[in-house]
Amino acid sequence: MKKFKSVIMLSLVLGTLIPAFASRMDEVTLVMVPREDSVIRVGMDIATRYPTLLISYQVGGGGAVSLHGWTGTEWVNVTPEAFKEGSFFRNAPSDAVLVEKDGQPIPEMLVPSDAWCSYVHKISTIDSRPLLHLIGQHYNFKYADWKWFASNYKLSIEDINPEGLNVAWYNKPMGEHLSKKNAVVGTSDLEYWSVVRQPMDDAVDPMAVPTADELSASEDMEQASDMEPSANVEGEDPLTNSIPSAVVLGAGDADADLAVEPESDDGEAAEMPNETEQE
């Protein structure tokens, strides 16, 4: 009984992350990641499965900032001015997830303007396990997504989805249940999650627990969707044509010179070295 109560309480806490059974397949999420190989890989993998506006950032000495956007095939320059004004995308994002290194806060200037993005959340770790856990909760991953990420990142589903979100009874061996350890892991990861901005009138009710009928309907839908892989997001470039000509970015070039200053009026973005081979 105590184990059951722990799982229920954890579900209530996670209700502040996403509404129950919310789908982001029809929404665009802005994901901003530091220019680190492992985090860029997560961002690119997310962008192939959900509508995602992926931006990589690097902060140099004196606060110099370099921004690049992923078109789906290559990285292109994004000026700080274009980012501030929200003129770098075709479709405005419904929300944003800012990823920052432990102990290295993302600059205030990189928090999206409320004029074009109302909801802003932050994940303060680049460790793959909690990062996948929290961003998967935010996107409301289907079971097929949890399974794919677990396999490709050499982790178990329980490692990145300790609450068993969208893992139906038929996806687990008979008699397998969530453990106290998994519940503790899920709760401890919440220390990396924070709400930067969220309209007060749209705050999620943490006590909104799905009914038995909703759970049953969700499992039926999940059983059907699990038979097909998640659809890749294809189509037009998510960035606008106002972006300068594509400059291929080297994901591992963390020491590249940064030529764009936050205060500069220069509209030209810094050129980056050639991109290393994607994993």
Side-chain angles (χ1 to χ4, degrees), residues 28-30 47-48 50-55 68-76 78 86-93 233-243:
V28 177
T29 297
L30 170 65
T48 64
Y50 289 88
T52 299
L53 191 61
L54 178 62
I55 298 290
H68 285 78
W70 177 242
T71 69
T73 57
E74 56 194 350
W75 293 94
V76 297
V78 176
S87 60
F88 63 97
F89 50 75
R90 293 182 183 276
N91 300 309
V233 180
E234 299 179 351
E236 65 180 6
D237 184 342
L239 307 179
T240 68
N241 290 327
S242 64
I243 300 299

Side-chain angles (χ1 to χ4, degrees), residues 31-221:
V31 175
M32 299 192 65
V33 298
R35 198 162 298 157
E36 298 282 343
D37 286 356
S38 62
V39 199
I40 286 180
R41 177 190 175 191
V42 172
M44 294 174 72
D45 285 340
I46 293 291
T48 64
R49 305 178 80 81
Y50 289 88
T52 299
L53 191 61
L54 178 62
I55 298 290
S56 75
Y57 69 89
Q58 185 176 359
V59 182
V65 173
S66 173
L67 299 174
H68 285 78
W70 177 242
T71 69
T73 57
E74 56 194 350
W75 293 94
V76 297
N77 296 320
V78 176
T79 66
E81 292 77 18
F83 178 82
K84 181 179 180 180
E85 296 171 2
S87 60
F88 63 97
F89 50 75
R90 293 182 183 276
N91 300 309
S94 57
D95 61 3
V97 176
L98 315 180
V99 180
E100 63 183 17
K101 297 181 183 179
D102 306 44
Q104 298 184 31
I106 191 169
E108 186 66 27
M109 66 169 293
L110 296 184
V111 175
S113 168
D114 59 2
W116 51 268
C117 187
S118 300
Y119 298 85
V120 181
H121 304 87
K122 184 166 62 178
I123 298 176
S124 302
T125 183
I126 61 173
D127 182 53
S128 295
R129 190 203 59 74
L131 176 59
L132 289 172
H133 173 209
L134 295 172
I135 208 164
Q137 289 280 351
H138 184 74
Y139 275 90
N140 193 30
F141 278 179
K142 298 188 302 180
Y143 172 70
D145 294 320
W146 289 118
K147 185 177 181 180
W148 187 91
F149 278 95
S151 175
N152 282 270
Y153 285 80
K154 311 302 181 186
L155 296 164
S156 69
I157 292 181
E158 291 73 18
D159 285 334
I160 62 174
N161 183 18
E163 304 80 24
L165 175 67
N166 292 336
V167 179
W169 61 268
Y170 49 81
N171 295 136
K172 297 183 294 183
M174 184 65 69
E176 181 180 320
H177 300 284
L178 295 176
S179 67
K180 291 182 179 180
K181 178 181 179 181
N182 285 341
V184 171
V185 168
T187 302
S188 64
D189 285 347
L190 291 178
E191 67 179 281
Y192 300 118
W193 175 270
S194 59
V195 177
V196 177
R197 184 173 63 241
Q198 177 172 286
M200 293 299 295
D201 56 347
D202 290 334
V204 176
D205 180 4
M207 298 305 293
V209 181
T211 65
D213 289 341
E214 289 173 330
L215 286 170
S216 178
S218 176
E219 288 191 358
D220 290 340
M221 293 177 63

